[in-house]
């Protein structure tokens, strides 16, 4: 099988490039192809002729999206649709990366794939609109919604916490937002399986289990042996430009329907810390 990864230099893209073996994989970053450039996108896809395109490229600065709305929609929605159109013309299948931010975070039980989209931020809206338009272009495409991504090769929550814990006696971390941390390695392995299984439709992919950012930070600090105090604070106390969903736990049902089980975030954190120290 031949696979084209767009966004290969990002956090997930790097994990996909490391984990994917046994198939012919072409990975391109923004310097190779800007997904807003229709002609270039078409040219690359025509030249590469992949069976699958994994679309991991995105403008992922959630707060930045609030002040750069045009950029958010042009990359995350319009760029994604450009790729889908070119893929359709070339007969390639598409796996698109979406987000828990398509939901409003008001539920109190895990989000199922059929739950109504109601994004509260520009980033979430750009992803929700991309999903809808992509499904119009390629009704059989695979949309992987993930959340709270962490891993090597870029900025991520555990890395930030570890750097702060090394220099500060105490850290304030939000305790009223709950979600599912997701290790880039486990997400990459799941995406590889989904492509090999010819998966279609929406799939929620996170590590198993749930926690608040405070609980996640406490576990990171504890496992790393720092004596830094982790203090719970409210979302209100830590105002950010983009609203965050209070609850974005994703149900594993769609994963199980595809015959896939993803390890717990506790297990994933252990492997990440090992990878980081090695
Ligand atoms: N991180 C999370 O917590 C999270 C949660 C839910 C969903 N997701 C989704 O999962 C996917 C992967 O996330 P990630 O954390 O790996 O993101 P990332 O590290 O920010 O990687 C995204 C990649 O896309 C590239 N890119 C940006 N604009 C582009 C453009 N116009 N054309 C081509 N490439 C462009 C970026 O290049 P530059 O860095 O050079 O700009 C970067 O290499 C994204 O679709 C993201 O929305 C992420």
């Amino acid at each position: 099988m031949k696979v084209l990864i767009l966004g290969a230099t990002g956090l997930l893209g790097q994990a996909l490039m490391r984990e994917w073996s046994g198939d012919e994989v072409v990975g391109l970053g923004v310097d190779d192809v800007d997904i807003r450039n229709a002609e270039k996108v078409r040219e690359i896809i025509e030249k590469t002729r992949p069976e699958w395109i994994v679309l991991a490229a995105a403008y992922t600065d959630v707060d930045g999206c609030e002040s750069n709305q045009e950029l958010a929609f042009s990359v995350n929605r319009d760029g994604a649709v450009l790729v889908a159109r070119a893929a359709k013309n070339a007969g390639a299948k598409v796996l698109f990366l979406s987000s828990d931010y398509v939901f409003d975070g008001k539920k109190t039980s895990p989000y199922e794939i059929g739950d109504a989209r109601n994004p509260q931020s520009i980033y979430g809206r750009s992803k929700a609109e991309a999903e809808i338009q992509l499904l119009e272009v390629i009704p059989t495409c695979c949309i992987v919604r993930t959340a709270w991504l962490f891993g090597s090769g870029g900025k991520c929550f555990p890395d930030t916490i570890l750097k702060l814990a090394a220099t500060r006696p105490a850290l304030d971390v939000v305790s009223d937002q709950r979600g599912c941390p997701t290790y880039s390695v486990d997400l990459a392995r799941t995406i590889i399986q989904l492509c090999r299984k010819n998966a279609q439709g929406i799939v929620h992919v996170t590590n198993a289990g749930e926690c608040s950012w405070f609980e996640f930070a406490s576990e990171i600090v504890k496992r790393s042996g720092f004596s830094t105090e982790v203090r719970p604070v409210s979302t209100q106390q830590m105002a950010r430009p983009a609203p965050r969903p209070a609850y974005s736990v994703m149900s594993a049902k769609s994963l199980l329907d595809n015959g896939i089980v993803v390890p717990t975030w506790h297990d994933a954190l252990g492997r990440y810390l090992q990878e980081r120290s090695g």
Side-chain angles (χ1 to χ4, degrees):
M1 169 161 92
K2 190 166 185 184
V3 182
L4 173 62
I5 296 168
L6 298 175
T9 52
L11 198 66
L12 171 62
Q14 291 176 64
L16 282 166
M17 294 305 292
R18 283 193 301 267
E19 293 297 319
W20 210 316
S21 58
D23 291 305
E24 190 182 343
V25 181
V26 177
L28 300 178
V30 68
D31 293 341
D32 306 303
V33 57
D34 186 319
I35 61 167
R36 292 169 297 176
N37 184 336
E39 208 162 308
K40 185 80 180 166
V41 165
R42 200 167 38 238
E43 183 194 308
I44 295 275
I45 294 175
E46 291 293 336
K47 198 173 111 193
T48 317
R49 289 259 150 211
E51 188 175 326
W52 272 100
I53 299 172
V54 177
L55 181 45
Y59 177 43
T60 57
D61 178 349
V62 172
D63 290 325
C65 284
E66 296 296 313
S67 47
N68 296 296
Q69 301 195 7
E70 217 175 299
L71 181 63
F73 287 110
S74 70
V75 176
N76 295 349
R77 181 193 59 200
D78 304 341
V81 173
L82 276 183
V83 172
R85 287 210 184 99
K88 189 182 180 183
N89 287 337
K93 289 170 259 190
V94 171
L95 186 149
F96 172 67
L97 267 300
S98 189
S99 165
D100 55 329
Y101 279 58
V102 300
F103 298 122
D104 59 20
K106 292 181 182 150
K107 265 188 93 175
T108 50
S109 60
Y111 276 97
E112 303 291 347
I113 56 170
D115 283 331
R117 301 175 185 93
N118 186 22
Q120 301 294 297
S121 62
I122 296 298
Y123 172 75
R125 263 183 56 199
S126 69
K127 287 288 186 182
E129 291 179 18
E131 286 188 1
I132 293 165
Q133 293 189 24
L134 243 73
L135 285 166
E136 279 167 14
V137 178
I138 308 181
T140 55
C141 79
C142 181
I143 294 176
V144 167
R145 291 188 186 132
T146 190
W148 294 28
L149 194 60
F150 68 95
S152 304
K155 228 179 110 188
C156 71
F157 182 80
D159 186 58
T160 304
I161 291 295
L162 289 170
K163 283 178 180 151
L164 291 174
T167 55
R168 294 194 193 170
L171 299 176
D172 293 338
V173 184
V174 169
S175 61
D176 54 2
Q177 291 171 27
R178 294 191 76 74
C180 307
T182 308
Y183 186 24
S184 59
V185 169
D186 291 336
L187 176 58
R189 288 176 182 166
T190 305
I191 287 171
I192 295 165
Q193 290 186 67
L194 287 170
C195 290
R196 289 186 176 149
K197 286 169 181 270
N198 275 322
Q200 297 183 359
I202 300 171
V203 188
H204 286 178
V205 183
T206 65
N207 278 115
E210 59 168 272
C211 59
S212 67
W213 289 114
F214 164 74
E215 288 163 354
F216 192 25
S218 302
E219 189 67 19
I220 294 163
V221 169
K222 189 177 95 185
R223 292 216 199 177
S224 308
F226 289 113
S227 53
T228 312
E229 183 192 359
V230 183
R231 299 182 298 220
V233 293
S234 69
T235 301
Q236 223 178 357
Q237 286 172 278
M238 302 281 265
R240 309 274 291 271
R244 265 63 180 173
Y247 181 88
S248 63
V249 177
M250 313 265 257
S251 164
K253 184 171 182 308
S254 52
L255 264 175
L256 293 174
D257 288 345
N258 279 285
I260 298 172
V261 175
V262 180
T264 64
W265 69 261
H266 281 93
D267 177 83
L269 177 62
R271 285 179 284 125
Y272 166 73
L273 292 174
Q274 225 165 12
E275 185 189 358
R276 193 177 180 273
S277 66

